[in-house]
Amino acid sequence: MHIVVCIKQVPDSAQIRVHPVTNTIMRQGVPAIVNPYDLFSLEEALRLKDEYGGRVTVLSMGPPQAEAALRKAISFGADDAILVTDRAFAGSDTLATSFALASAIQKIHEDMPVDIVFAGKQTIDGDTAQVGPGIAKRMDLQLLTYVSSITDLDLENREITLHRRAEGGVQVLKTSLPCLITMLEGTNEMRFATLPNMFRAARYPLKQWDKDAAGITDVSKIGLKGSPTIVSKVFAPQPKTIPAEIIDCESKQPKDLAVTLLAKMFTKFPNLHEDIAKANA
Amino acid sequence: MSEETEKDAPKKPAGRRKFELDPRLASYKGVWVFVEHERGVAHTVSWELMGEGRKLADKLGVPLAGVVMGAPGIQTRRFCEEAFHYGADLCYLMEDPLMADYRNQPFTKGLTDLVNAYQPEILLLGATTLGRDLAGSVATTLQTGLTADCTELNIDMENRSLAATRPTFGGSLLCTIVTLNYRPQMATVRPRVMSLPKPDMTRTGSIVEHALGMTESEIVTKVLEYIPDNLQGKPQLPFADIIVAGGRGMKRPENFQLIWDLAKVLGAEVGATRPIVQAGWVELDRQVGQSGKTVRPKLYIAAGISGAIQHRVGMDASDVIIAINSDPNAPIFDFATYGIVGNAMTILPALTEAFRQQLATLKVAV
Amino acid sequence: MDEKFDAIVIGAGPSGNAAAYTMAKAGLKVLQIERGEYPGSKNVQGAILYSKALEEIIPDFREDAPLERHLIEQQMWVLDDESYIGTTYRSAEFNQEPYNRYTIIRAQFDKWFSKRVQEAGALLVCETTVTNLLMDGNRVIGVQTDRENGAIYADVVVLADGVNSLLAKKAGFHAELEPKDVALAVKEIHFLPEETIQSRFNIGEGEGVVIEMAGKITQGMMGTGFLYTNKDSLTIGVGCMLSDFKQQKITPYELLEKMKAHPAIKPLLAGGEMKEYTAHLIPEGGYKAMPKLFGEGWMIVGDAGMFVNAVHREGSNLAMTTGRYAAEAVIDLKEKKLPMTAANLARYQGRLEDSFVMKDMKKYKNMPEIFHKNNHFFTTYPELLNRAAHTMLTVDGVDKKSKEREIRKSFKQRRSLFGLMGDAFKMWRAFE
């Protein structure tokens, strides 16, 4: 069995700062991490490998620095890593990105047939959740998003059974390989890398593919040209500032503050009485 | 996995370029809203989008349509009626027993076919598990642009294009995205981001039916079972009227009990900021903010929450916000309705007691 | 694991990087183990880099190291509640290349240094904690990490794991740190546009200022405050002895807030955006608190060995120099095919003794004690000095001679003449 896992290196959004004057993202000192959602997919792929054997290849598209993310995946136990990197990809939106990744997976597939592709549910920087579906549609893979568990894999009949999160419940689905799966967060926990795998990751001769190596001949489908969406404006949120009415009282005692607040609030918003009564019902 | 990061440096402003729409795309007209439903109930996000779609359609002077797909029956017809009540002029209806459950393959084909046949210029979907699955697929089969999780939709009248504004980098920045020379222009919006319009029960419209044209043997994925969520005890933050939420200022997991205590008195849901959820004090479903749920309750009580933008975007549509924070300079005081500067650990119990008494007198009055 | 290394370096801060780089460059097989997510991940704050120590390791470091500004001006402020009295030294000499001191942001600097270490051939493993030293009798033969299959062997282990080195303590190489020997420094970075910093501090592009502060800012505790200019940010911080924080019942955060609100400091920070608040322990016990620095198969370098000159706020240069010396000792022994015994590693201590490192450490060995026993250095004196300046500068019809008399009187009231002389003597002894 051959599994390809698509991952992305992202800036840790929890530590992102916007320059107060220029309104640009300050990457200085913001650590780059593996998109956290991708790790649930990677771990699931590694579990399948542990149980059914086979190889796990990790694939990423991004600048040369993204190799750190791929090395991390190797340290967790992935067998191979490929970084698709080319200046021609700059400015790619999700449609162009899914085209480039699908081309690369096709190339990997020619070398060693691919049974399952995993992708992250979404990224923490783009938050679009579009690249996984995009790859599946381009490669005609069965698309299985928001998977919470894989309950059965029958390699002989090339069938997989799994649970997929829907809005009001869980779908139990059965489908055929090849397929593309995005895992729901919190469904597993990434393993702790062994020391030998840490060494292997540090020394792994990472493969870098440019667009030609990834089998891309039609440059009109990648980069800015291949991206229907255009960012017309980037700006810092300018939320309106209406300062809170700060509750104060002479005693400064919590009890008095609370009573003062409630008196003010219920006078100004009398309907809240009813809302609270309703919520309590 | 998107390459959205590459785009944080603004490119040439699109609006200022001389723009001519490809004449082959000129026939794309009208605004569509995909009406999502599951187990006989339409998702509220569809009606929230219908309200937004109405505004866009009016600006463009084009009709607004709902798209209803599902198994034949009275329910699909009822969704069309509802769509009219919420502002649709017409509905495209695709009925087939194969679409009793959501499956990517038939829905993707169905929606792709409808778009190709009736050519809308704008297509909106809810950013739910279903909506995102379908939107990402259809944008690929249609080879067009899709903007996810928009917080604002507008029409750039200069070139009649959809200007979709969405947060990026975890809410630190906003960007406006346009899809100029591709149709339809697609966007998804998360539930509760837009307000629910008031339905007009007298409105009606016309229904255009279209067949799916597929057989079960063509569909690879089978639904073996559907296990509905047991909603008992499950947090339902997006639709809660009252929410009590805590942040890092609660300091210790045991202090979080004070939040639960107040919530119990108010019959409220409990919410939390990302660090709290990451630390495992409460479950994921309770996270409010950019990477969690968007809420718009009548009353939101924020204890020990600084009000960083990532949290704010998920809750600042609340009607009344009470903020408790020891730091008088905390950003939450810039947009809360009422603020108490002080230690949440002493204020919360006092507030719980005050509400309890208030509610007791109320009951007596009734 | 079966693989064996010539040397294992624990830690990827300045001392560990210096040691690993020097050994790898000499062709040794080096493994470096870092606890953090990546080198510098635990170090977001700004710092001062003294060129010489790095120059001796990487002569061409200026070509690509992430340097913020070279320092052309040094200010010393003695603060009272509302005022300060200070000196400024600025010289055109500081503007002649090669520059002598730079401000740096440690996160970026450590990352850059680490990249050079890896290019030199050392194997770096991050997010890995060394839990124990592997011993054969009293000889260190390797390390045990917290990972599966986590034992790894080497001829020598260099401990560069920073202040409060758990490993050294566990192995019994040094005793538990005492709160009186450790300072707690809290720092913040405030971002401001480059041009604003330049006009506010009267400096040109690439030029920088450092302000050292003492006095009431530390609430009578032993310690100092500081402010450095980076490219588009300011580093501000305050450091006090851990023992004092405990005694005074004030949190470092409160102390820093008070300092930032001081009327002389507030305008310097105005309009900035605070990014990062960090606390960092600094070993300031000096020479007397230093542990044993080497043994059978091991050496200690950098902060782990208490190599910090608290008086001159030098840490990273001592760290890099000790790292280099330790590495050179290993290289020398390898060349001569000699074992890494304590007797042979004694040459590391020898190099330290002959260098500025130990000479300085010894010179200031009494300083920590003097300050500890005499907290009026940080309370009474600043107040008196500021009042004296105020008295002299206020035009109120009193002649200067009477003013001087008054000042002398006030000094004597607060501190006996005997005490004053004693202080002078102590300081002279310390700095001599």
Side-chain angles (χ1 to χ4, degrees), chain A residues 8 122-123 125-126 137 142 145 165 167-168 170-172 174-175 230 232-233 235 242 244-245 247 280, chain B residues 1-3 5 38 102 104 129 132-133 166 174 176 178 221-222 224-225 227 229 265 333-334 339:
Chain A
K8 186 188 182 188
Q122 67 197 68
T123 56
D125 59 345
K137 287 294 132 185
Q142 288 307 305
T145 51
R165 168 120 296 269
E167 281 304 299
V170 173
Q171 288 183 317
V172 183
K174 184 174 190 170
T175 193
I230 299 166
S232 71
K233 199 167 89 181
F235 55 104
I242 306 169
E245 180 181 347
I247 305 297
N280 251 318
Chain B
M1 292 210 338
S2 90
E3 282 303 295
T5 39
E38 200 174 35
Y102 173 75
N104 178 269
T129 54
R132 285 178 157 214
D133 185 276
R166 71 183 305 267
L174 293 171
T176 301
V178 294
T221 301
K222 313 288 175 197
L224 301 184
E225 203 189 338
I227 310 163
D229 287 336
V265 167
F333 292 125
D334 292 341

Side-chain angles (χ1 to χ4, degrees), chain B residues 182-224:
Chain B
Y182 297 80
R183 289 293 180 272
Q185 307 159 82
M186 291 179 63
T188 62
V189 177
R190 298 205 306 182
R192 307 303 274 160
V193 168
M194 304 297 181
S195 58
L196 187 66
K198 275 222 165 3
D200 174 356
M201 300 303 186
T202 63
R203 273 186 63 100
T204 55
S206 56
I207 292 177
V208 179
E209 293 190 54
H210 196 95
L212 170 64
M214 251 184 145
T215 59
E216 181 62 44
S217 60
E218 291 173 67
I219 304 171
V220 183
T221 301
K222 313 288 175 197
V223 180
L224 301 184

Side-chain angles (χ1 to χ4, degrees), chain B residues 40-94:
Chain B
V41 185
H43 200 297
T44 322
V45 71
S46 307
W47 311 137
E48 291 163 5
L49 281 177
M50 204 60 86
E52 279 309 293
R54 187 68 261 169
K55 292 181 214 160
L56 300 176
D58 288 346
K59 251 181 221 164
L60 289 164
V62 296
L64 171 68
V67 180
V68 178
M69 301 163 81
I74 45 165
Q75 273 167 356
T76 46
R77 304 278 161 174
R78 211 187 65 226
F79 297 142
C80 292
E81 295 301 319
E82 269 191 90
F84 301 142
H85 295 164
Y86 281 104
D89 300 309
L90 74 162
C91 273
Y92 293 94
L93 175 62
M94 182 175 272

Side-chain angles (χ1 to χ4, degrees), chain A residues 6-8 11 13-14 16 18 23 25 27 61 90-95 97 101 122-131 133-135 137-138 142-143 145-146 161 164-176 185 224-225 228-237 239-247 254-255 257-258 261-262 264-266 268-269 272-273 275-276 278-280, chain B residues 1-8 11 13-14 36 38 43 102 104-105 108 128-129 132-133 136-137 139-141 143-149 165-166 168-180 182 220-229 241-242 264-267 274 284 290 298-299 309 312 320 322 333-341 346-347 350-351 354-355 358-359 362:
Chain A
C6 301
I7 65 169
K8 186 188 182 188
S13 66
I16 286 259
V18 177
N23 259 349
I25 288 285
R27 286 165 189 276
M61 175 174 140
S92 292
D93 72 357
T94 54
L95 195 74
T97 302
L101 286 171
Q122 67 197 68
T123 56
I124 57 165
D125 59 345
D127 264 325
T128 66
Q130 290 162 13
V131 174
I135 295 171
K137 287 294 132 185
R138 287 175 187 282
Q142 288 307 305
L143 175 61
T145 51
Y146 309 104
T161 310
R164 172 182 185 272
R165 168 120 296 269
E167 281 304 299
V170 173
Q171 288 183 317
V172 183
L173 301 174
K174 184 174 190 170
T175 193
S176 298
E185 67 273 23
L224 275 178
K225 254 193 191 153
T229 59
I230 299 166
V231 177
S232 71
K233 199 167 89 181
V234 178
F235 55 104
K240 52 182 192 303
T241 299
I242 306 169
E245 180 181 347
I246 300 293
I247 305 297
K255 181 172 171 263
L257 285 170
L261 166 69
L262 260 53
K264 280 192 185 222
M265 184 172 73
F266 284 121
K268 194 162 174 200
F269 303 96
L272 273 177
H273 268 136
D275 295 325
I276 294 173
K278 218 170 70 194
N280 251 318
Chain B
M1 292 210 338
S2 90
E3 282 303 295
E4 215 68 65
T5 39
E6 308 275 330
K7 297 187 153 193
D8 58 311
K11 289 167 208 155
E36 176 177 339
E38 200 174 35
H43 200 297
Y102 173 75
N104 178 269
Q105 207 184 344
T108 301
T128 58
T129 54
R132 285 178 157 214
D133 185 276
S137 300
T140 310
T141 54
Q143 293 285 295
T144 190
L146 164 61
T147 307
D149 285 3
T165 298
R166 71 183 305 267
T168 183
F169 288 105
S172 316
L173 283 178
L174 293 171
C175 59
T176 301
I177 293 175
V178 294
T179 302
L180 291 179
Y182 297 80
V220 183
T221 301
K222 313 288 175 197
V223 180
L224 301 184
E225 203 189 338
Y226 184 92
I227 310 163
D229 287 336
D241 277 338
I242 301 166
K264 196 168 170 221
V265 167
L266 293 174
R274 186 163 112 147
L284 188 69
Q290 172 60 23
K298 305 246 166 62
L299 175 62
I309 190 76
R312 176 173 181 173
V320 178
I322 299 175
F333 292 125
D334 292 341
F335 62 96
T337 324
Y338 297 105
I340 296 182
V341 180
T346 57
I347 307 278
L351 205 53
F355 270 117
Q358 181 86 18
L359 292 175
L362 220 87

Side-chain angles (χ1 to χ4, degrees), chain C residues 100-151:
Chain C
N100 174 38
R101 289 189 305 166
Y102 297 90
T103 48
I104 52 169
I105 308 265
R106 277 286 300 278
Q108 285 149 277
F109 179 80
D110 286 10
K111 217 181 206 170
W112 165 83
F113 202 169
S114 173
K115 197 168 148 253
R116 297 294 292 258
V117 172
Q118 291 171 73
E119 282 164 7
L123 184 71
L124 171 70
V125 168
C126 292
E127 289 179 280
T128 303
T129 303
V130 173
T131 51
N132 269 310
L133 297 176
L134 297 172
M135 312 288 288
D136 179 8
N138 67 344
R139 194 163 64 93
V140 174
I141 54 168
V143 303
Q144 176 66 47
T145 65
D146 59 347
R147 294 189 179 274
E148 204 183 312
N149 285 327

